[in-house]
C-alpha cells in the first residue's frame, strides 16, 4: 500500500516547502561518516544504561539518513534538496513489555537518558500487557558490516550531471510527443548501526535510487489528455544504474516497448513515454469481458505486492492492523492446514532479503537477524508467513524471518514486508512464445492504478500500456483497461510463467503501514506470466 | 521547547534576516507535540509522545533559490542554516518561474487553538482507548483503534517585513470493532479541534453497534444503487476531485476542468444545484491557519456555487501569467448541508445502501476523475426507510463529479479528517442515486 506519504512527498517536492526527511545539508557534508568505533561506544552507553535500569533485553539503532531529491518539470528544475536526519532509537523489554525512546541528542547523557526513558515506558506498558513478549533467539554476531554493492556513489555525482540527465529526459519526452514532462530523482543513503544485548554490533550502509517520470499528451481540439509513466524500477544500487548498457535492454513481446533489467536508459524511456502518451489519445477503447492476461514484470510486481505480500504479513493476520491497513483472508488456520490452495501448482512465491539490487536487500534486519530466503507459496499451497522475532513462535518457527524495519532512527521497528517474488517458470518460454498460445487476451506493461480490499480478496489494477492479443498475435493498442479479480481465483488462473531469462524486479519506495504511519521499501521479481479468464472492465466515463 | 511563543520565534526570524547576504529571505518555523495511543486485540500496543521544532531558511540570489532546515536554535546553528541555504542557492540553476517573496501582509487570525486540547495527557489518551477496549471486552468483541492529538505552531516571516505566528490544536480518533468470529466489523471516526466536542464513549458505541449489526452480511448484486454515504465515506472522493481545481492544470488541458479548445470550465455548471463547496480559514468548526504553504493569505473562496465552478486555484506564478489574483490555497473544505440527520435520510429512502466508510481509493482516470475503492466496516441494505440487513462490501468505480450530479438529499455536515487528504473538512451525509458498484468483496 502506497498511501499518504507518497502523495505528500510529491506535493511537497512540487511546492518547495518544508522537507519531510529531516534537516537540509550541503552537498559536501553528504560523504562524511561517523567512525564505527564511535558508534559502538555510543551503543554501549545505551545498552548499559538500559540494562542497569532493569531491561532484560535492549537494542539500539544509531541512524544517519541522507536523502537527495530533484524534481523537474519540462525544461525547468523545480527543486534540489539534500536532507539529513540523525539520531538514536533505543528499544527495551522490561517485565515482558516493550518500551521505545529516541533522541537526536547524541551525547552520552542524551543516549543514556533515552535508554532510561524507554525502560520507564516499558514498565508502564507492562501493567497493560496481556502476554509477555517472547523473542525468538538470535546469536550475537559480534562486529560485522554490510553494504549495498555499488560502484558509483550518488553522493559524489555532481548535481549538474543529475539535473542535466532529467532535463534531457524531459526534452526527449517532449520530442517524442508529450506536451508536458515531469521527472524526479530520489536518492537514499541509510547509515544504520545496530547493537543489542545479544552481542551484535552491526554497521550497514544502504543505497537506493528511483527515477520516476511521467509524460502527458494533450489534444486541445478534443480536450482529451493521456499519460504514460516511466518503466524503470526503484533499485538498491548505486548511481551506475543510470549508465545504460545495451545488454540490460530487452524488447517486450512483439517489440511494443523497451524494458530494462540491471541499468536504465531514462532518456530513451522518456522519449518512448512521450510517443506512447500521444498514441494513447487515439487508442481503441477496450470491450469489457473475460480475457487471458499476459502481465509483464513491470506490472505484475504490484499485483504480487498487494495480494500476496500484504496478506501474508503475520501482524495483519493477527489483527494488529485491523483499524488501518486491514487484516488478511490468509488466516492462521489456512497455514496450519498445509493444504490451502493460494494459486495454481506452477505458482511458487518466496520471500528474500538477499536478492542483489533489490530495495529490501540488507545484511541484517532492524532486530539484528541475518537476511535470508524462505518459501511463502510452494506449488500453489500457502506454506509460510512473514515474521519478526516476537512473532516467530506463533507460527511454530524457531527463528525470525528477519522482517523487522523502522523508517527512521526515531520510529520503532515492526513487521514489514521483505522482497516477495514469483519464481520463474521451469520450462523454457519467452514472452513472444507466450503470445502464440493466447486466443483472446490483453498484454499489460507497466503499473497503473491499484486498489484492494482490507482483507485482500478483491483487487482492481490498471497499467501503463495495453495491447490486444488476438489468435496468437499482438494487435493494436487499447485504452480504458482495468481488471478485477479475487486473489485466490487470480493466482489459481496462472497458466504459464516465462523462464528465468525474463525475470526482473519492480518495487515500491513508499509502502505505508502502521499508526502513526511508517513507510518501507520493497522489491518484487517475476517473469512475464499468463492468467486465464480474468474480468476486464472498461473505465471510460463522460462527465458534464 | 517544541511550542515556541511569538516573541521567541520573532527573535529567531530576526536573527536569520540579519545574517543573510541574499537578495531575499523567507523563514518558516514550525513546532509540534504529538501524542498517541494505539491498540489492537483489546490491548494497548503502542503509546508515545513526539516533539519536533525546526526552522527553514529559504534564500534567493536573483532567480537562484536555496533552502536549509535545522532543528537547533543556538546562534551558531542558525547561522549554519543560513550559510547552507546560501550555498545551495549559489549551486542551483536559475528558476525561470521564480516569483519574489510576498509583500508585507497582515494576516487575520483564525481560531485554531484550544487550550483544553493542548492539555491532553497520557491518562486522557489511555481512557479514550479504555472506553473502546472495555466496551468490546464486555460484549465479546475485538477492538483496534488509534487516538492522536496534536499541538503545534507555525511562524512565517520574510525580508519584506511579513510576519505571522499562530498555534493550533487537533485530535483524531478511529476505532474498528470486529466480532470474535470475524463475521462483523464496525468503524467510527471523530476529528475535532476542541476536545470538549469529542466523546470517546459515544464514538465507541457507534463502532460497537455497527459491528454487531454487520454480522451475516448478505450478497447484493453489483450495479447502480441509491446510496446514503456517511460523511467519512465521501471525504476522500471529494479530496481527489478538489485537487483538480488547480488553474494551471485546467488551463494546460490536464484536468477534468479542462475542455475542448484549450479552455477551462470556470463558470460551467458541473454539479447539482444543491452543491455548494467553499473554503474559509475562519470557519468556527474547521478553522485553519490564515496563510497557505507559500505564505499567501487565505480567504473565504466559493469553489462551487449552486453547482457551478466558481473559482480555480491560481499559484502566484500562474496568476501572473493569466493576469489573475492569487489567493492562498484552501486549507479546509466545507460543503453546505441541511439539518437532516443520517437517520432522516435513511427514513426517506425506499431502497438503498448505507455506506459507513470507503477504502483504498485510487484514481483510475484523471480525465473524468473516475475513482475506484471499496466499502468497509458497515455496509447495510435500506428498505422502506429502515436498515433491513447488512450486506457484503462492494467495489465501486465512480466519479465524484457524477456523484455530485446525482444528489437526491443532503444531510447535516460534520467535522471529518480525510484518510489521505490534508484538508480539515466539514462534510454532510448525502443520498446519491445511481452510484456504480462494480463487484463484490468477501472482506469483512
Amino acid at each position: 500500500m502506497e498511501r499518504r506519504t507518497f502523495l505528500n512527498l510529491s506535493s511537497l517536492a512540487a511546492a518547495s516547502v518544508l522537507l519531510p526527511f529531516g534537516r537540509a545539508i550541503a552537498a559536501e557534508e553528504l560523504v562524511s561518516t561517523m567512525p564505527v568505533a564511535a558508534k559502538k561506544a555510543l551503543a554501549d552507553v545505551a545498552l548499559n544504561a538500559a540494562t542497569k535500569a532493569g531491561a532484560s533485553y535492549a537494542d539500539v539503532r544509531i541512524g544517519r539518513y541522507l536523502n537527495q531529491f530533484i524534481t523537474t518539470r519540462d525544461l525547468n528544475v523545480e527543486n534540489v534538496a539534500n536532507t539529513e536526519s540523525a539520531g538514536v532509537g533505543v528499544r527495551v523489554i522490561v517485565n515482558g513489555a516493550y518500551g521505545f525512546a529516541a533522541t537526536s541528542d547524541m551525547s552520552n547523557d542524551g543516549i543514556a537518558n533515552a535508554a532510561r526513558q524507554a525502560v520507564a515506558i516499558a514498565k508502564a506498558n507492562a501493567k497493560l500487557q496481556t502476554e509477555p513478549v517472547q523473542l525468538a533467539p538470535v546469536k550475537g554476531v559480534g562486529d560485522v558490516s554490510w553494504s549495498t554493492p555499488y560502484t558509483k556513489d550518488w553522493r559524489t555525482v555532481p548535481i549538474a550531471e543529475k539535473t542535466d540527465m532529467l532535463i534531457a529526459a524531459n526534452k526527449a519526452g517532449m520530442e517524442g510527443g508529450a506536451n508536458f514532462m515531469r521527472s524526479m530523482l530520489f536518492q537514499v543513503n541509510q547509515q544504520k548501526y545496530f547493537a543489542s544485548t545479544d552481542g551484535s554490533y552491526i554497521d550497514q550502509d544502504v543505497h537506493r535510487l528511483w527515477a520516476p517520470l511521467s509524460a502527458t499528451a494533450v489534444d486541445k481540439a478534443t480536450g482529451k489528455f493521456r499519460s504514460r509513466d516511466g518503466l524503470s524500477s526503484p533499485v538498491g544500487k548505486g548511481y551506475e544504474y543510470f549508465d545504460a548498457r545495451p545488454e540490460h535492454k530487452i524488447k517486450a513481446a512483439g517489440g511494443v516497448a523497451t524494458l530494462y533489467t540491471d541499468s536504465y536508459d531514462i532518456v530513451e524511456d522518456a522519449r518512448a513515454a512521450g510517443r506512447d502518451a500521444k498514441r494513447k489519445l487515439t487508442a481503441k477503447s477496450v470491450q469489457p469481458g473475460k480475457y487471458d492476461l499476459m502481465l509483464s514484470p513491470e506490472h505484475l510486481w504490484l499485483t504480487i505486492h498487494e495480494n500476496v505480500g500484504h496478506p501474508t504479513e503475520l501482524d495483519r493476520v493477527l489483527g494488529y492492523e485491523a483499524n488501518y491497513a486491514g487484516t488478511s483472508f490468509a488466516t492462521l488456520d489456512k497455514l496450519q492446514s498445509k493444504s490451502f490452495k493460494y494459486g495454481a501448482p506452477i505458482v511458487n512465491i518466496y520471500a528474500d532479503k538477499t536478492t542483489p539490487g533489490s530495495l529490501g536487500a540488507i545484511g541484517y534486519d532492524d532486530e539484528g537477524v541475518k537476511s535470508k530466503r524462505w518459501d511463502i507459496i510452494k506449488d500453489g499451497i500457502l506454506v509460510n508467513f512473514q515474521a519478526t522475532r516476537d512473532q516467530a513462535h506463533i507460527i511454530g518457527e524457531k527463528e525470525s524471518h528477519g522482517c523487522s524495519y523502522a523508517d527512521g532512527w526515531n520510529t520503532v521497528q515492526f513487521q514489514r514486508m521483505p522482497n516477495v517474488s514469483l519464481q520463474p517458470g521451469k520450462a523454457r518460454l519467452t514472452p513472444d512464445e507466450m503470445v502464440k498460445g493466447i486466443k483472446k487476451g490483453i498484454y499489460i506493461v507497466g503499473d497503473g492504478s491499484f486498489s484492494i480490499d482490507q482483507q485482500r480478496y478483491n483487487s482492481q489494477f490498471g497499467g501503463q500500456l495495453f495491447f490486444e492479443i488476438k489468435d496468437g498475435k499482438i494487435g493494436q493498442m487499447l485504452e480504458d483497461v482495468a481488471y478485477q479479480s479475487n486473489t485466490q481465483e487470480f493466482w489459481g488462473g496462472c497458466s504459464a510463467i516465462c523462464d528465468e531469462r525474463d525475470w526482473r524486479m519492480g518495487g515500491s519506495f513508499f509502502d505505508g503501514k502502521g499508526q502513526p504511519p511508517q513507510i518501507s521499501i520493497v522489491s518484487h521479481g517475476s517473469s512475464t506470466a499468463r492468467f486465464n479468464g480474468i474480468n476486464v472492465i472498461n473505465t471510460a466515463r463522460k462527465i458534464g | 521547547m517544541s511550542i515556541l511563543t511569538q516573541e521567541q520565534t520573532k527573535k529567531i526570524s530576526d536573527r536569520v534576516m540579519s545574517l543573510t547576504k541574499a537578495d531575499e529571505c523567507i523563514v518558516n518555523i514550525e513546532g509540534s507535540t504529538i501524542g498517541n495511543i494505539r491498540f489492537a486485540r483489546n490491548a494497548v500496543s503502542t503509546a508515545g509522545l513526539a516533539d519536533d521544532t525546526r526552522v527553514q531558511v529559504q534564500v534567493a540570489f536573483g532567480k537562484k533559490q536555496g533552502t536549509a532546515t535545522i532543528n537547533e536554535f543556538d546562534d551558531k546553528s542558525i547561522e549554519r542554516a543560513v550559510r547552507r541555504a546560501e550555498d545551495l542557492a549559489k549551486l542551483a540553476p536559475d528558476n525561470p518561474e521564480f516569483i519574489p517573496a510576498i509583500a508585507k501582509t497582515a494576516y487575520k487570525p483564525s481560531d485554531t487553538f484550544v487550550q483544553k486540547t493542548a492539555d491532553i495527557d497520557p491518562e486522557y489518551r489511555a481512557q479514550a482507548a479504555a472506553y473502546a477496549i472495555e466496551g468490546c471486552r464486555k460484549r465479546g468483541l475485538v477492538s483496534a483503534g488509534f487516538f492522536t492529538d496534536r499541538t503545534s505552531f507555525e511562524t512565517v516571516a520574510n525580508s519584506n517585513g511579513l510576519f505571522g505566528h499562530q498555534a493550533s490544536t487537533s485530535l483524531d480518533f478511529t476505532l474498528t470493532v470486529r466480532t470474535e468470529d470475524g463475521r462483523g466489523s464496525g468503524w467510527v471516526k471523530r476529528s475535532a479541534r476542541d476536545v470538549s466536542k469529542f466523546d470517546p464513549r459515544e464514538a465507541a458505541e457507534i463502532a460497537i453497534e455497527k459491528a454487531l449489526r454487520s454480522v451475516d452480511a448478505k450478497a447484493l448484486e453489483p450495479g447502480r444503487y441509491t446510496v446514503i454515504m456517511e460523511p467519512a465515506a465521501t471525504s476522500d472522493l471529494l479530496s481527489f476531485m478538489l485537487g483538480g481545481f488547480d488553474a494551471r492544470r485546467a488551463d494546460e488541458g490536464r484536468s477534468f476542468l479542462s475542455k475542448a479548445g484549450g479552455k477551462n470550465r470556470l463558470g460551467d455548471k458541473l454539479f447539482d444545484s444543491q452543491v455548494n463547496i467553499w473554503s474559509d480559514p475562519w470557519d468556527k468548526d474547521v478553522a485553519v491557519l490564515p496563510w497557505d504553504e507559500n505564505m499567501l493569505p487565505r480567504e473565504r473562496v466559493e469553489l462551487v456555487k449552486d453547482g457551478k465552478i466558481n473559482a480555480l486555484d491560481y499559484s502566484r506564478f500562474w496568476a501572473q501569467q493569466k493576469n489573475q489574483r492569487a489567493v492562498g490555497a484552501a486549507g479546509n473544505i466545507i460543503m453546505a448541508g441541511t439539518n437532516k440527520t443520517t437517520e432522516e435520510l435513511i427514513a426517506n429512502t425506499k431502497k438503498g445502501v448505507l455506506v459507513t466508510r470507503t477504502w483504498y481509493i485510487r484514481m483510475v482516470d484523471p480525465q473524468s476523475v473516475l475513482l475506484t475503492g471499496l466499502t468497509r466496516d458497515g455496509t447495510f441494505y435500506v428498505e422502506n426507510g429502515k436498515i433491513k440487513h447488512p450486506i457484503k462490501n462492494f467495489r465501486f468505480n465512480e466519479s465524484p463529479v457524477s456523484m455530485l450530479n446525482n444528489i437526491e438529499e443532503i444531510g447535516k455536515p460534520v467535522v471529518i479528517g480525510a484518510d489521505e487528504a490534508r484538508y480539515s473538512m466539514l462534510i454532510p451525509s448525502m443520498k446519491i442515486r445511481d452510484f456504480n458498484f462494480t463487484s463484490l468483496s468477501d472482506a469483512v
Side-chain angles (χ1 to χ4, degrees), chain B residues 142-154:
Chain B
V142 184
S143 66
F146 186 63
F147 174 90
T148 183
D149 55 278
R150 174 188 174 94
T151 302
S152 60
F153 77 90
E154 184 174 341

Side-chain angles (χ1 to χ4, degrees), chain A residues 331-340 382 385 394-396:
Chain A
T331 45
L332 272 180
D333 58 307
K334 286 176 181 150
L335 174 72
Q336 285 153 356
S337 75
K338 296 180 181 172
S339 61
F340 179 70
L382 176 69
F385 289 136
I394 297 167
I395 49 173

Side-chain angles (χ1 to χ4, degrees), chain B residues 67-129:
Chain B
T67 305
T69 308
I70 202 159
N71 59 358
E72 296 158 281
F73 292 86
D74 59 277
D75 283 355
K76 274 191 178 172
S77 299
I78 297 280
E79 182 164 6
R80 210 160 59 232
V82 172
R83 297 295 162 246
R84 281 176 184 152
E86 290 178 345
D87 289 348
L88 280 172
K90 286 169 190 166
L91 279 172
D94 269 9
N95 178 1
E97 297 187 2
F98 175 81
I99 297 284
I102 294 168
K104 187 174 178 178
T105 304
Y107 298 114
K108 180 183 164 190
S110 49
D111 197 9
T112 52
F113 183 82
V114 177
Q115 187 60 48
K116 270 188 183 171
T117 310
D119 291 340
I120 289 174
D121 57 18
E123 284 70 34
Y124 181 91
R125 291 179 203 115
Q127 189 56 57

Side-chain angles (χ1 to χ4, degrees), chain B residues 51 85 106:
Chain B
D51 284 339

